[in-house]
Amino acid sequence: MQHFCKRSNSTIFSRDRASNLIPVDQDPLQQNFTETLPTEMSVKIFSELDVRSLCRASLTCRLWNDIIEGSDQLWRSHCLTVLAICQRDVDGDRLAGCSWKVTLVRNYRKGCVKRRWLKGRYSNIRSADEIPPNSMCPLDVETWGEILEAELDR
């Protein structure tokens, strides 16, 4: 079945994932870029997003989700920024065969908790009852040592 533009009798075609020509039934300017660009180009575009935006983009549609979830390259770059915070955990997850996304998700929260502790966000806590939810997670000895040193310097 062919679709025709209202302004002319020409048919507009696009390429699907298997590089087959398929007719397009909507304004080309409003098409989903992942439907018209090669997957590698879509991955390049998605690689410009931060972690939160990348997770939100994966919820946009099934095609975006398939590209984002299926690309270890996207998650690797973000995971390497977490590596400086939780290197032992990242290395352990990778040795255990976890994907870059799983490794990032597991260690991203730890990195956020560590940064908040190091910035002194919890310096005025006097008892365990005052610790806010989501401010604790298992951290290694070196990390707690860094946090303790930062607290003693304050």
Side-chain angles (χ1 to χ4, degrees):
M1 183 169 111
Q2 291 185 348
H3 298 278
F4 295 95
C5 288
K6 291 181 180 177
R7 286 178 244 158
S8 70
N9 273 344
S10 61
T11 304
I12 300 173
F13 289 94
S14 177
R15 293 197 180 272
D16 64 7
R17 289 269 176 242
S19 296
N20 299 318
L21 284 176
I22 55 171
V24 176
D25 61 351
Q26 60 184 358
D27 181 1
L29 297 177
Q30 294 182 3
Q31 283 183 339
N32 181 343
F33 70 91
T34 58
E35 293 173 352
T36 57
L37 293 176
T39 303
E40 297 79 20
M41 292 297 294
S42 298
V43 169
K44 177 67 177 155
I45 292 168
F46 287 132
S47 71
E48 299 297 321
L49 299 176
D50 61 24
V51 174
R52 178 174 283 159
S53 299
L54 194 59
C55 291
R56 287 180 179 158
S58 72
L59 300 174
T60 302
C61 69
R62 183 168 293 199
L63 181 56
W64 285 28
N65 182 276
D66 291 346
I67 293 170
I68 292 169
E69 297 294 322
S71 175
D72 252 8
Q73 175 186 341
L74 287 172
W75 300 103
R76 181 180 184 274
S77 62
H78 291 295
C79 197
L80 293 178
T81 61
V82 174
L83 180 66
I85 297 166
C86 308
Q87 183 167 0
R88 180 177 291 161
D89 294 328
V90 171
D91 292 343
D93 287 348
R94 294 299 297 153
L95 285 173
C98 296
S99 70
W100 282 107
K101 181 185 179 192
V102 170
T103 301
L104 176 66
V105 169
R106 287 174 124 180
N107 293 289
Y108 183 76
R109 183 170 171 267
K110 289 180 185 180
C112 292
V113 168
K114 179 181 177 181
R115 275 192 299 277
R116 287 192 299 258
W117 276 95
L118 289 174
K119 287 181 179 179
R121 185 167 182 189
Y122 308 119
S123 292
N124 297 325
I125 293 175
R126 291 171 284 174
S127 73
D129 295 334
E130 294 179 3
I131 297 175
N134 299 323
S135 63
M136 297 293 293
C137 66
L139 298 172
D140 60 17
V141 173
E142 288 93 15
T143 300
W144 282 115
E146 287 178 53
I147 292 168
L148 180 58
E149 284 180 25
E151 287 299 318
L152 292 174
D153 289 342
R154 285 193 215 353

